[in-house]
Amino acid sequence: MRQTTGMGDVRDERRKGIEPMGWSDFHRRRATMERALTAARHTEGNRIPFDRIAGAREDFGTEEGLLLALQHRWWQILTGHLRAEVAGPEDADTVPGDDSTECEDHVDAVSRAWRAAVRRHPALHAVVSANVERFPSLRRAHDAELRMLALVSGLAEPHEPDDEVVGVGATLVALFHERALAEASDPGSCPSAEPVAQWLRRLAPTA
């Protein structure tokens, strides 16, 4: 999947004989992704009608390529929100995991970041989530996201087995969904009505 590049990346790609993506390509692909998200709202299960999306095959080749681009866009949005709240994924090694108060603070921060990303980009999140099991590449990308959330929240350590860390991330996201649904059903409810300590106790059998 090609991505926009910085100046250092452009020089590296040119040395390798790869033509970097220009801004016109970037904006064209972004417009195609927006058309795909709009179309998916009107389909069962948030499936993208790939062959009916103008530019989809030219820009992404396959439906898998388009979904990977959407997943990458979601990753960028989510990590941006995480950096605004707490350490980014590249800082996961420094996230505290032993002190319960610090850990709770990190879970709260990750919760705020995740819910803000979903709230501001509901269609993107819905499509990425609905299609994650359709291709192994999407499943791997999703597992990487779950691993990142578990590490940044401080509920897992980088040296732990990947499947266990991914499991913690999956449980965490399920709890985020639960809280989001509760708030949607009762808009006046306080987002922090349930102490994070209760969340951590729920995670204990998984972590």
Side-chain angles (χ1 to χ4, degrees):
M1 178 174 58
R2 297 175 66 192
Q3 305 167 14
T4 54
T5 54
M7 290 305 297
D9 297 324
V10 168
R11 288 191 293 269
D12 289 341
E13 288 193 356
R14 283 176 176 160
R15 281 197 294 268
K16 295 174 185 176
I18 301 172
E19 185 64 27
M21 182 188 298
W23 281 110
S24 61
D25 296 326
F26 171 81
H27 289 297
R28 188 188 68 247
R29 285 162 60 92
R30 180 59 60 88
T32 301
M33 287 191 280
E34 289 298 334
R35 287 193 292 272
L37 292 176
T38 299
R41 295 174 189 168
H42 306 290
T43 65
E44 183 177 354
N46 288 294
R47 294 287 289 268
I48 293 174
F50 183 77
D51 290 331
R52 300 205 303 271
I53 305 299
R57 193 166 299 281
E58 293 80 1
D59 290 333
F60 299 98
T62 64
E63 184 179 5
E64 181 181 7
L66 174 54
L67 287 168
L68 279 171
L70 291 170
Q71 202 284 336
H72 178 69
R73 184 178 175 190
W74 165 250
W75 174 279
Q76 289 179 313
I77 290 166
L78 178 59
T79 53
H81 282 284
L82 285 168
R83 289 188 180 94
E85 294 283 354
V86 71
E90 70 278 7
D91 303 315
D93 289 344
T94 67
V95 174
D98 295 329
D99 185 276
S100 61
T101 301
E102 282 191 278
C103 189
E104 289 178 22
D105 289 343
H106 276 281
V107 174
D108 270 338
V110 171
S111 174
R112 288 193 301 271
W114 184 90
R115 289 185 295 124
V118 172
R119 185 170 60 252
R120 294 174 186 176
H121 302 272
L124 176 61
H125 177 257
V127 169
V128 170
S129 298
N131 290 277
V132 72
E133 299 292 349
R134 296 188 54 223
F135 298 100
S137 57
L138 288 171
R139 179 73 254 180
R140 289 192 296 271
H142 183 62
D143 285 351
E145 176 188 327
L146 296 177
R147 186 176 189 277
M148 173 189 71
L149 291 172
L151 294 176
V152 176
S153 69
L155 296 174
E157 299 291 338
H159 63 269
E160 295 181 271
D162 276 350
D163 58 342
E164 292 182 13
V165 177
V166 169
V168 171
T171 302
L172 196 59
V173 168
L175 292 172
F176 293 164
H177 274 293
E178 180 182 316
R179 174 169 284 191
L181 289 173
E183 291 174 15
S185 63
D186 183 7
S189 65
C190 175
S192 58
E194 181 182 16
V196 175
Q198 294 182 27
W199 289 33
L200 300 183
R201 282 195 291 273
R202 290 194 212 178
L203 280 169
T206 306

